[in-house]
Amino acid sequence: MKRILALIVCGLILTGCKEDNTLRVGVGAPDSDLCKYTEKLNDKLEQSGASIRLKPIYTEDSNASLRLLNNGIIDLALINADALDTALITVTKINPAYVAGSINEKNYEVINDGDDISVYNSTVAGVIDEALHAIVREDSPYEDISDLGEKTVVVGSYDNCAKDVAYKLLKDHGIKREARKLVIKNPEEAVEMLKNKEAEALFLFDRIPSEYAKDLCNSMKVKFLSIKQDHLRSISKYEKYLTSAKIFPKQYHGQNEPVGTVIINILLQAHNGVDNSKIEELMGALFDINSQQDYSVAMNPEIIEIKDAAEPLIKVLRFHPGAVRFYKNHDINVKETEHSSPLFDIHIVAASD
């Protein structure tokens, strides 16, 4: 199989069955919220006396993280849920991959052969929800997303998957392909582009309330464009990981009306070969963080009851056996993954897609 040969060609170090309590986590960019969340989770594991620790692995985006995960090159990945439908059908190569013990850069395919894609990863939990903030300058003539045809829209995110979501939103607001002008930057750079009039609109992907959006609203007058519910129904036909939501009034300076938006679910995925006991131990720390901060999609019954978006997401996801066992202990029923795979012990310093 190409999947196995690729690992051999890449010169990865396999250490057999040696016990290792360090789990490698794909986190995207070094400064991303996903990286910061991993650091917070590591602190919680240490405070709780857990034996496992997390090692952040930097990748280009969620698609890259999921491909590395599916091939057993990392143990866990924090991803934009949309990547579950896109990452494994996109032909790509990892370049470079810096492998412990090797100084050579290697190209290797991580895509599965043929049309029958084998999925060797499953969900542990939903950890963060990111909301789309559609922002324009207050003196601009734009009042609706549909007004942004032929206009430069800067997408503020650390994950390239956000650009795909933005592209589809413009499509559903009647803007033709050739009229969609999107540029992706990290959130800080994106905000500066709007301030400097290098872009007519900002699509900022962040939690609510967003510190980036707060700082922007405190420094200049802006207005928020609302995403119409009828357009969200169109999106939902092919975007099962997007849910409608509202930014409630006065979340930001000058924002006095509710704003319709869309929520993107951020998931923690695990390779199916990760030991169940390690996932259960990790879940204890996740439960503690998420029950305090309400970032969870599937962490406890109280959150599920008040969050309608959680139920359809749970229905479409398959969960790691260790997570299933943990959820059952908290009276939450989720579907278990149907695929299993052994996990080699592979050590990578960093990787980019």
Side-chain angles (χ1 to χ4, degrees):
M1 292 174 60
K2 182 179 289 186
R3 176 173 171 270
I4 297 175
L5 290 175
L7 297 179
I8 296 172
V9 171
C10 194
L12 299 178
I13 299 172
L14 305 183
T15 58
C17 297
K18 179 182 177 181
E19 181 65 23
D20 187 352
N21 285 325
T22 299
L23 299 177
R24 297 166 295 279
V25 189
V27 296
D31 295 326
S32 67
D33 279 346
L34 303 186
C35 186
K36 295 172 185 175
Y37 185 88
T38 302
E39 294 170 357
K40 184 185 297 184
L41 186 53
N42 242 342
D43 291 341
K44 187 64 67 175
L45 288 167
E46 186 173 357
Q47 293 168 13
S48 68
S51 62
I52 61 173
R53 294 293 182 271
L54 306 177
K55 181 181 180 64
I57 302 298
Y58 306 132
T59 64
E60 183 177 344
D61 57 17
S62 292
N63 285 330
S65 293
L66 192 65
R67 286 190 284 265
L68 289 166
L69 178 68
N70 202 59
N71 284 272
I73 298 171
I74 55 178
D75 309 294
L76 303 166
L78 284 162
I79 66 163
N80 180 316
D82 187 59
L84 294 176
D85 285 345
T86 60
L88 300 183
I89 61 172
T90 304
V91 177
T92 190
K93 292 187 177 182
I94 303 294
N95 179 29
Y98 298 96
V99 183
S102 171
I103 61 171
N104 296 322
E105 294 183 1
K106 301 290 183 180
N107 291 328
Y108 58 96
E109 293 184 7
V110 296
I111 197 71
N112 291 280
D113 291 328
D115 296 328
D116 186 15
I117 296 175
S118 299
V119 178
Y120 295 119
N121 73 91
S122 48
T123 302
V124 174
V127 293
I128 301 173
D129 288 342
E130 289 190 345
L132 168 62
H133 299 69
I135 305 172
V136 296
R137 292 182 293 277
E138 188 181 53
D139 60 359
S140 74
Y142 318 119
E143 300 294 338
D144 187 83
I145 301 292
S146 60
D147 296 332
L148 299 178
E150 300 290 352
K151 310 303 177 186
T152 298
V153 178
V154 60
V155 179
S157 175
Y158 281 103
D159 197 318
N160 290 329
C161 290
K163 186 176 181 180
D164 295 333
V165 174
Y167 191 86
K168 292 168 185 174
L169 283 171
L170 292 179
K171 174 185 176 182
D172 265 16
H173 282 78
I175 299 176
K176 295 181 179 180
R177 180 188 298 270
E178 60 273 14
R180 298 171 216 157
K181 296 183 177 180
L182 292 173
V183 178
I184 187 161
K185 298 286 185 179
N186 67 44
E188 296 95 335
E189 293 172 335
V191 167
E192 287 303 311
M193 281 189 68
L194 184 69
K195 284 183 177 180
N196 297 333
K197 298 186 177 181
E198 297 173 309
E200 281 78 24
L202 166 65
F203 281 3
L204 177 67
F205 288 81
D206 199 7
R207 285 171 282 176
I208 301 173
S210 163
E211 292 303 317
Y212 303 112
K214 277 186 177 180
D215 291 344
L216 175 62
C217 292
N218 290 334
S219 65
M220 61 181 289
K221 291 184 177 180
V222 300
K223 57 186 176 183
F224 289 77
L225 303 184
S226 192
I227 299 171
K228 296 178 180 178
Q229 297 300 309
D230 56 347
H231 288 86
L232 287 179
R233 283 197 294 271
S234 175
I235 290 169
S236 66
K237 293 178 181 178
Y238 57 87
E239 289 290 355
K240 58 179 174 284
Y241 306 115
L242 298 182
T243 53
S244 61
K246 285 189 180 296
I247 302 174
F248 293 108
K250 301 189 183 302
Q251 287 284 350
Y252 305 106
H253 179 69
Q255 181 241 329
N256 299 317
E257 301 293 333
V259 178
T261 187
V262 61
I263 294 290
I264 297 89
N265 303 120
I266 306 298
L267 305 177
L268 177 62
Q269 297 291 114
H271 188 278
N272 293 344
V274 175
D275 186 78
N276 291 350
S277 62
K278 292 182 180 179
I279 296 298
E280 285 191 272
E281 193 170 15
L282 177 63
M283 291 291 289
L286 276 170
F287 189 95
D288 193 10
I289 290 177
N290 291 346
S291 61
Q292 293 175 24
Q293 302 189 32
D294 194 19
Y295 291 164
S296 174
V297 171
M299 293 309 301
N300 61 52
E302 291 79 13
I303 291 176
I304 290 175
E305 287 175 3
I306 64 173
K307 199 167 188 180
D308 293 339
E311 187 174 355
L313 186 64
I314 291 172
K315 287 180 179 179
V316 301
L317 294 174
R318 295 283 179 173
F319 286 78
H320 189 282
V324 171
R325 202 154 61 189
F326 183 92
Y327 286 129
K328 283 184 178 178
N329 290 336
H330 291 82
D331 299 321
I332 300 172
N333 293 316
V334 295
K335 295 179 181 178
E336 187 171 328
T337 182
E338 298 174 343
H339 301 282
S340 62
S341 174
L343 183 65
F344 292 107
D345 193 3
I346 301 165
H347 294 274
I348 288 184
V349 176
S352 63
D353 190 277

